[in-house]
């Protein structure tokens, strides 16, 4: 059985190509950014607020196509709003990095601001994968994101979760469609 993380990559794959511009909203040690690079993306913007984690990711992924932003993804609208080229694929793995004992977890306000900015940057048919993990603020974070997405007529969504375990990772798949 595939993990939610593997399923998220499977969902994003059709949106990727040699000219693809991608965003990883939570870089961690770089598994998702590495996936985008492996798929031949032209440029990957990646956010990470923990400097030690970010440094390790850069060691793992010495690649000039990776543009790391050492700050909160809550700033995404200000940082990337200028992009002339639209974005093909976005991923957020919420929560905290499991390797860090006292890691910093994502928070509702900045996660929501980042999703909103990323949705505006996505091209038509562009895809965004949101992977949720059970963590203390996780329920509130997921509820706020779901509530906002429900009101967005141009964002199609599919939700993947374990049918019997409430406290397990889940995946929300988002695709931007044409305006009517
Ligand atoms: C679940 S991990 C990411 C896993 C990663 N994408 C991978 O491929 O392995 C979540 C990461 O988000 C980072 N993070 C938490 N809050 C953040 C924020 N506001 N902006 C950017 N990164 C944040 C944490 O430091 C942590 O490294």
């Amino acid at each position: 059985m595939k993990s939610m993380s593997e399923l998220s990559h499977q969902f994003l794959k059709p949106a990727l190509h040699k000219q693809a511009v991608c965003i990883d909203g939570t870089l961690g040690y770089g598994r998702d950014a590495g996936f985008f690079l492996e798929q031949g993306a032209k440029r990957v913007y990646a956010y990470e607020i923990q400097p030690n984690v970010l440094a390790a990711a850069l060691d793992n992924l010495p690649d000039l196509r990776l543009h790391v932003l050492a700050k909160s993804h809550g700033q995404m609208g200000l940082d990337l709003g200028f992009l002339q080229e639209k974005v093909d694929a976005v991923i957020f793995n919420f929560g905290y990095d499991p390797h860090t004992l006292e890691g910093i977890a994502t928070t509702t306000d900045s996660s929501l601001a980042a999703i909103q900015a990323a949705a505006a940057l996505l091209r038509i048919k562009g895809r965004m994968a949101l992977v949720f993990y059970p963590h203390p603020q996780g329920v509130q974070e997921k509820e706020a994101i779901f509530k906002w997405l429900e009101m967005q007529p141009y964002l199609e969504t599919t939700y993947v979760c374990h049918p019997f375990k409430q406290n397990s990772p889940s995946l929300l798949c988002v695709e931007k469609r044409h305006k009517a």
Side-chain angles (χ1 to χ4, degrees), residues 26-28 31-32 48-50 72-73 93-94 96 104 106:
T26 51
L27 175 65
R31 212 171 26 157
D32 297 319
E48 175 54 60
I49 43 172
Q50 295 194 80
S72 170
H73 49 219
N93 254 288
F94 294 108
Y96 56 89
I104 299 174
T106 51

Side-chain angles (χ1 to χ4, degrees), residues 139-158:
V139 174
Q140 192 201 24
E141 180 182 49
K142 189 158 91 174
E143 274 177 13
I145 291 170
F146 274 35
K147 204 168 161 194
W148 183 76
L149 281 170
E150 196 183 355
M151 306 300 287
Q152 309 309 312
Y154 309 120
L155 298 174
E156 282 187 290
T157 50
T158 298

Side-chain angles (χ1 to χ4, degrees), residues 87-144:
V87 170
D88 296 277
V90 179
I91 191 161
F92 287 89
N93 254 288
F94 294 108
Y96 56 89
D97 193 281
H99 302 99
T100 320
L101 277 180
E102 297 200 358
I104 299 174
T106 51
T107 58
T108 304
D109 288 352
S110 61
S111 296
L112 188 56
I115 300 293
Q116 292 170 343
L121 287 161
L122 264 189
R123 71 168 69 254
I124 304 292
K125 292 281 173 198
R127 290 185 166 193
M128 174 156 70
L130 311 179
V131 186
F132 299 96
Y133 295 91
H135 70 101
Q137 303 96 310
V139 174
Q140 192 201 24
E141 180 182 49
K142 189 158 91 174
E143 274 177 13

